[in-house]
């Protein structure tokens, strides 16, 4: 299993728009082959900073999603709202 953490920093005036995009896209991502779970987290001290936290069956499943039309559509709507470059990490859980 692979865990994917993505940090997204938005212009403060675009927070509601992003939350709307995430709300309508959430089920599409969760239902994508290989996605086991997806959460959206918001930084307490910096409310324009969000993190997506998702579990994937494998790196191949994550890459299939990242190369899909679903991802391209969601990303196209989301990236224009950023105030800073997104950051992403793929990690494995350690005991």
């Amino acid at each position: 299993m692979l865990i994917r953490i993505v940090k997204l920093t938005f212009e403060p005036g675009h927070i509601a728009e992003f939350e709307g995009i995430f709300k309508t896209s959430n089920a599409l991502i969760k239902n994508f082959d290989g996605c086991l779970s997806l959460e959206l987290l918001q930084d307490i001290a910096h409310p324009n900073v969000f993190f997506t936290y998702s579990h994937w069956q494998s790196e191949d499943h994550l890459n299939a999603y990242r190369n899909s039309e679903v991802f391209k559509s969601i990303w196209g709507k989301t990236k224009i709202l950023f105030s800073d470059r997104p950051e992403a990490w793929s990690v494995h859980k350690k005991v």
Side-chain angles (χ1 to χ4, degrees):
M1 182 177 59
L2 176 89
I3 299 170
R4 182 74 167 179
I5 303 166
V6 181
K7 179 184 178 187
L8 308 165
T9 305
F10 295 96
E11 292 290 343
H14 293 304
I15 292 172
E17 187 175 354
F18 166 69
E19 289 175 327
I21 293 167
F22 187 85
K23 185 177 179 181
T24 60
S25 305
N26 189 18
L28 290 173
I29 300 167
K30 283 183 176 178
N31 291 323
F32 200 88
D33 184 41
C35 182
L36 304 173
S37 67
L38 172 65
E39 294 179 78
L40 180 64
L41 310 169
Q42 186 177 26
D43 188 288
I44 293 170
H46 304 96
N48 64 314
V49 176
F50 290 80
F51 297 86
T52 58
Y53 184 82
S54 56
H55 289 87
W56 294 85
Q57 286 180 358
S58 69
E59 188 172 4
D60 289 340
H61 286 95
L62 173 62
N63 288 334
Y65 166 69
R66 291 176 62 211
N67 291 314
S68 72
E69 291 303 316
V70 172
F71 175 81
K72 290 175 187 173
S73 174
I74 296 167
W75 194 249
K77 296 173 197 170
T78 303
K79 69 181 181 180
I80 61 174
L81 307 176
F82 293 147
S83 66
D84 199 0
R85 183 175 167 264
E87 298 178 61
W89 302 268
S90 293
V91 299
H92 292 282
K93 185 175 181 178
K94 293 295 201 181
V95 179

